[in-house]
Amino acid sequence: MRFVTAALLALLALVHVELWFGKGGVPRVMELESRLAEQRAANDAARSRNEQLEAEVSDLKEGLEMVEEKARSELGMVKPDEILVQVTAPIR
C-alpha cells in the first residue's frame, strides 16, 4: 500500500513539475497570451490604417475633389489666375 501511495505522489509531483516548468507550462502560456495581445493591437492598428487608405482610394476614384485637395495640400498647386496665400502660426 505504501508503494502505491508513493508512486501516485511521485506521478502527481511529475505532473506538477510539467505544469509549472514544462514546454506548455503556465509561464509559457502567460508569455504567449501577452504576445497575442500585442499582435492583436498591432493588427487593429493596421486594420484601421487599411480602412483609412481604402476610403482615400475610393475618394480618389470617385471624384476630382480629392485629387484637387491632394494637389493643393501636398504639392502646393494652384489654379490659373489664383493667388496662393500661406498663413503660418507665430513662433512663441
Side-chain angles (χ1 to χ4, degrees):
M1 189 68 162
R2 285 183 173 216
F3 177 72
V4 173
T5 304
L8 288 175
L9 284 175
L11 287 174
L12 182 62
L14 185 64
V15 168
H16 271 275
V17 167
E18 184 65 29
L19 174 67
W20 292 104
F21 303 110
K23 185 177 180 182
V26 173
R28 175 80 171 140
V29 170
M30 291 176 70
E31 175 195 350
L32 290 174
E33 285 177 349
S34 172
R35 289 176 50 194
L36 179 62
E38 290 173 7
Q39 187 61 49
R40 283 185 175 156
N43 288 351
D44 289 342
R47 188 175 293 113
S48 173
R49 178 71 178 135
N50 285 345
E51 289 171 358
Q52 190 177 35
L53 288 172
E54 187 177 320
E56 189 173 325
V57 167
S58 174
D59 286 345
L60 287 170
K61 284 181 179 180
E62 289 178 5
L64 292 177
E65 293 98 20
M66 185 68 176
V67 175
E68 184 178 334
E69 180 183 335
K70 284 275 189 197
R72 287 174 178 274
S73 65
E74 293 179 6
L75 302 175
M77 298 180 89
V78 295
K79 292 181 180 179
D81 298 328
E82 186 177 58
I83 299 173
L84 175 65
V85 177
Q86 290 183 338
V87 178
T88 59
I91 299 174
R92 294 182 183 188

